[in-house]
Amino acid sequence: MASEGDLDRSAALVAGLSEISLRCDRCGTTIAAMCSPGRCSCGGLYEVVYTRPQAIDLAAFDQRLGRWEPLDRSGVWRYREFLPPLPSELIVTRPEGNTNLYSHSALSAWTGCADLLVKHEGENPTGSFKDRGMTVAISHARAVGARAVACASTGNTSASVAAYAALAGLPSVVFLPAGKIAAGKLGQAIAYGARIVQVEGDFDAAMQLVQAASSELDLYLLNSVNPFRIEGQKTIVFELLHQLAWEPPDWIVLPGGNLGNTAAFGAALEQLVRWGVLARVPRLAVIQAEGAAPFYAAYRSGFREMHPVRAETVATAIRIGNPVSYERARRSIEFTRGVVEIVSDDEILDAKAVVDRAGIGCEPASAASIAGVRKLVAQGVIRPGERVVAILTGHVLKDPDAIIAYHLAASERPFMNRPVTIAPSLAALREVLAHGH
Ligand code: F0G
């Protein structure tokens, strides 16, 4: 028999989640938010639909900055009026977000963008922006009574799933493209105790498998097809606008892979405009790696259609050829009058070396943002005097092999910092220091 506590809890749940619903973005079918959301039977993805509140009190967000309660401390749940109303006792939070905005003369000089700010999402608990979506989705998984959770991943999602599932006391299964995961991420997923399934194939194959597995095997799917992931990732935009006193920049630049973040950013901006918080919309610039650029190709064709590609890039996080959030991301570009651009692996690695050398540091996929800013400035798309916020999506320690490969490469690279080995003598030391870098 259900105890009184259980009944209270389910009443709170129903009251909260009945305030929102899930609508398929393709056929418009609406389902209850108590469902465990996969794809709609038409193949579309669900989005969370809210009723517009009477008013949003922006001063409340400032007040929460001075409090110690976990939900106020979280750079996700601080903005809870914009998020699904989950009962606070079910929320699993580390807490996330609170990621800083940095400016640095070396980044401005290299990109040619004087007013460049970088928001470092690598400062999240597991070192990537994924934690923002994960706190919302794992809390929803608990609310709907999920028994186990799963995802396919190029690495960061799996690290985040593994950590949040462990915090929630749920078993997790992660599907990874075998041999294509950066060491830091694989290490995290193993350490946090996920069941690791390495799929002989690329991310896109792993993604297909996990979608089939989740409906057949009753696994709650934590990829960004899950609308609660998107809701959490919207807070990158909420927090960065809060940090800028709700004065929007001209551009927000981010890397694009599976396009969940692109979808989330557009959705966040639409919500803020609809709710009267924002009068001017920043333009989104999505940057893909040249060898993994189906969204760029679709953009260049006027979004007539998207053709999946076989993806290859040194930035393994965005080595994705068939992005699941294509339709949502297209809407984001259209809503924000955004652009999509590509950068080469060499440009990504040089940009990463510049970010690292500035003392900020990021993983390769994140540096696509910075390489993209440089390219868009050179093209005159980003104009002099415009304020740009570029998103660094992951921490420098995620991919140590990429650092070693760049700085110890046989051929010269522009920002190389090659370690030297010397005999243990002052003479040898004098000799190497005299030659500087
Ligand atoms: N940057 C990093 C560091 C990522 O890990 C990802 C995606 C992206 C950018 C691209 O974001 O998919 O929203 O367009 N990583 C996913 C993963 C796919 O499995 O960790 P997106």
Side-chain angles (χ1 to χ4, degrees), residues 127-130 151-160 175-177 181 185 203 207 223-224 229-230 233 254-264 286-288 316-320 323-325 363-369 391-395 398:
S128 84
F129 69 92
K130 306 287 181 181
C151 75
S153 179
T154 56
N156 280 323
T157 302
S158 67
S160 186
F175 294 65
L176 305 177
I181 304 296
K185 306 174 190 182
F203 167 80
M207 187 68 225
N223 278 101
S224 54
R229 277 275 313 277
I230 301 291
Q233 286 172 208
L254 72 161
N258 216 17
L259 301 177
N261 239 7
T262 306
V286 174
I287 314 299
Q288 295 211 287
T316 52
I318 50 174
R319 190 173 171 276
I320 296 172
V324 298
S325 286
E363 68 163 285
S366 310
S369 301
I391 310 297
L392 299 179
T393 45
H395 197 280
K398 288 281 190 174

Side-chain angles (χ1 to χ4, degrees), residues 42-208:
C42 79
L45 298 175
Y46 290 106
E47 60 182 332
V48 175
V49 183
Y50 298 88
T51 40
R52 186 187 159 158
Q54 295 287 317
I56 292 287
D57 178 14
L58 296 180
F61 303 141
D62 289 331
Q63 285 153 14
R64 289 172 190 163
L65 283 172
R67 302 219 178 101
W68 286 107
E69 286 80 6
L71 296 191
D72 290 342
R73 295 263 299 140
S74 166
V76 172
W77 296 105
R78 181 172 307 130
Y79 306 100
R80 51 189 171 269
E81 285 75 6
F82 294 126
L83 296 176
L86 288 159
S88 54
E89 67 274 17
L90 291 186
I91 290 174
V92 182
T93 178
R94 275 288 297 271
E96 309 65 35
N98 301 305
T99 61
N100 291 290
L101 282 176
Y102 301 101
S103 64
H104 195 291
S105 56
L107 297 186
S108 289
W110 191 73
T111 57
C113 179
D115 196 0
L116 173 63
L117 296 166
V118 294
K119 183 161 176 64
H120 206 328
E121 287 296 305
E123 295 171 349
N124 270 288
T126 75
S128 84
F129 69 92
K130 306 287 181 181
D131 297 336
R132 290 184 182 264
M134 216 51 75
T135 179
V136 180
I138 202 97
S139 302
H140 180 259
R142 292 181 82 197
V144 300
R147 288 185 301 112
V149 297
C151 75
S153 179
T154 56
N156 280 323
T157 302
S158 67
S160 186
V161 163
Y164 279 80
L167 289 166
L170 286 169
S172 63
V173 190
V174 304
F175 294 65
L176 305 177
K180 295 293 182 186
I181 304 296
K185 306 174 190 182
L186 182 59
Q188 285 179 292
I190 295 172
Y192 292 133
R195 182 104 174 89
I196 315 249
V197 180
Q198 307 206 69
V199 179
E200 291 167 350
D202 56 14
F203 167 80
D204 302 295
M207 187 68 225
Q208 272 200 323

